[in-house]
Amino acid sequence: MTTKHAEITNDLRTGIDQGKYAPGSTIPGVVVLMREYGVARETARAAIATLAHEGLVTPQRGVGTVVRDTTPVALGYKPNAPAQVWAQQAGANAKDETVEAGWEAADHEVAGRLEVPVDSQVIHLVRHYWKGLNVAQIRDQWLPEAIGTAIAQAGTDLSDTASKPEADLYTLMERAGYRPATVTETVVARMPDPSERDTMEVPAGVPVLITHRVTRDAENKPVETSTTVGCADRMSASFTVPLNR
Amino acid sequence: MTTKHAEITNDLRTGIDQGKYAPGSTIPGVVVLMREYGVARETARAAIATLAHEGLVTPQRGVGTVVRDTTPVALGYKPNAPAQVWAQQAGANAKDETVEAGWEAADHEVAGRLEVPVDSQVIHLVRHYWKGLNVAQIRDQWLPEAIGTAIAQAGTDLSDTASKPEADLYTLMERAGYRPATVTETVVARMPDPSERDTMEVPAGVPVLITHRVTRDAENKPVETSTTVGCADRMSASFTVPLNR
DNA sequence: GAGTGGTCTAGACCACCAA
DNA sequence: TGGTGGTCTAGACCACTCT
């Protein structure tokens, strides 16, 4: 025999699957489930909690337990033009903002990706990508010392949060004499930690997608690396790769 | 004031972060927490449940609540050689197995990806990729009718589950006169549904990574599409893309 | 058998939202 | 103000694992 809360969960889940409870509407509340199934409050709540952690519903105090719209928003992501894509694809109410910029000492991870010595100076940029009222992605980006100074000498100080570069980063790199040739991206997923859940307002049951990127020039030397963390229900990553066989 | 269970969760989480509770060891159990914090059983359990849903611990009856090893297993994935990579990267105790094969009518989704009419015949293959004792990935793959029959005429019947093709799919395609030229992959993540949780034995708090792929020939016509679902703590996807600017 | 986590109850009070 | 979900309790019994 399955447990009582599992029984209730299954009934509600099939109801959602079959469209009995549409996205945006509410499923039967705690008190209703208590009465209809003859269970205690915590048992009814346990059933709902399972659905919440599966990402199917979002309980809201004073409102009810709302069925999530599980359709992926599918913000396609093209590594070929990382900077501009956001505005095009996320729609009119999208914006992005540099919240942090400056020089810092490379830690082990960043130094390894950029193939520079640990503790050597690198430029670190943190950007927030907004979609409507939410931060949908957070990007941490690092550039090796040589490139940071070369871009500065070409007239753009990346270590200044307030300054608005008038061109995207790859263009700035080219002007400074570094031509990006390839990007390698590695995608993983996990549940958000509390700070991510906080700044991006990730609902329960929604994982984050993490993209680690390394951009290299024609000599295969790293010219940029970044880590992008995004709410998995507000982003997806897409790649087109030629096959050389 | 934070809630009692949140308080306990935070204490335990920082303990894990700081290495006080190492991966593989157990955190204080329900009864210990009840005594030390002076709370009821369900309150202590709620604190542990939060950590479980964050993917940090796995409660086990009769054993204790074990700290998960959160290190990503990072099975790099190269779209250039999809079939062979598994064995190389997942190690010695990896294997893969075709669990389903045959002709079926294309549904809306598959028809759209392959750019064939809805309800036209397609080959459907389901493969399980094992890592040790677990299924780590499930791949659903579809080929358009023309290619399925061409490969059959070239001597390999893909619609037969028992038959072991002696070459990887891309090679079979080439022999049948279709040369794959590009792949486009879209990666998303979500929490597993019950059936996925079941066959892949996904622990609580671990999302699945989903890769939608379309392979095209030189004329940009789709020759294959597949959807791969994998436990996010047992796989990652990696892509290297040349920049053409 | 001792100790772990899992289920369930009946009842209390609190926080929040909408009408 | 009435209805929603969130927190918490004290106590019972069950399922599982390890020794």
Side-chain angles (χ1 to χ4, degrees), chain A residues 29-30 41-42 45 62:
Chain A
V30 181
R41 181 181 187 81
E42 289 298 315
R45 263 178 40 83

Side-chain angles (χ1 to χ4, degrees), chain B residues 29-30 41-42 45 61-62:
Chain B
V30 180
R41 182 181 186 81
E42 289 298 318
R45 263 179 40 83
R61 264 205 281 235

Side-chain angles (χ1 to χ4, degrees), chain A residues 75-87:
Chain A
L75 294 175
Y77 174 74
K78 293 238 168 52
N80 304 40
Q84 309 90 320
V85 170
W86 185 254

Side-chain angles (χ1 to χ4, degrees), chain A residues 118-185:
Chain A
V118 173
D119 285 334
S120 67
Q121 288 295 301
V122 290
I123 290 225
H124 181 197
L125 305 169
V126 181
R127 273 185 102 66
H128 284 186
Y129 292 79
W130 293 74
K131 174 151 193 270
L133 299 173
N134 294 108
V135 177
Q137 288 185 24
I138 300 172
R139 180 157 81 204
D140 279 85
Q141 189 168 48
W142 295 268
L143 307 179
E145 182 165 25
I147 296 179
T149 49
I151 290 177
Q153 281 165 5
T156 305
D157 183 6
L158 289 173
S159 68
D160 178 9
T161 317
S163 82
K164 289 257 172 200
E166 78 295 345
D168 76 286
L169 185 61
Y170 283 0
T171 305
L172 293 176
M173 280 183 183
E174 272 190 62
R175 285 189 199 156
Y178 295 86
R179 190 189 187 83
T182 65
V183 293
T184 298
E185 307 226 353

Side-chain angles (χ1 to χ4, degrees), chain B residues 110-123:
Chain B
V110 169
R113 287 204 237 161
L114 289 178
E115 296 173 13
V116 298
V118 174
D119 284 333
S120 67
Q121 288 294 301
V122 292
I123 291 224

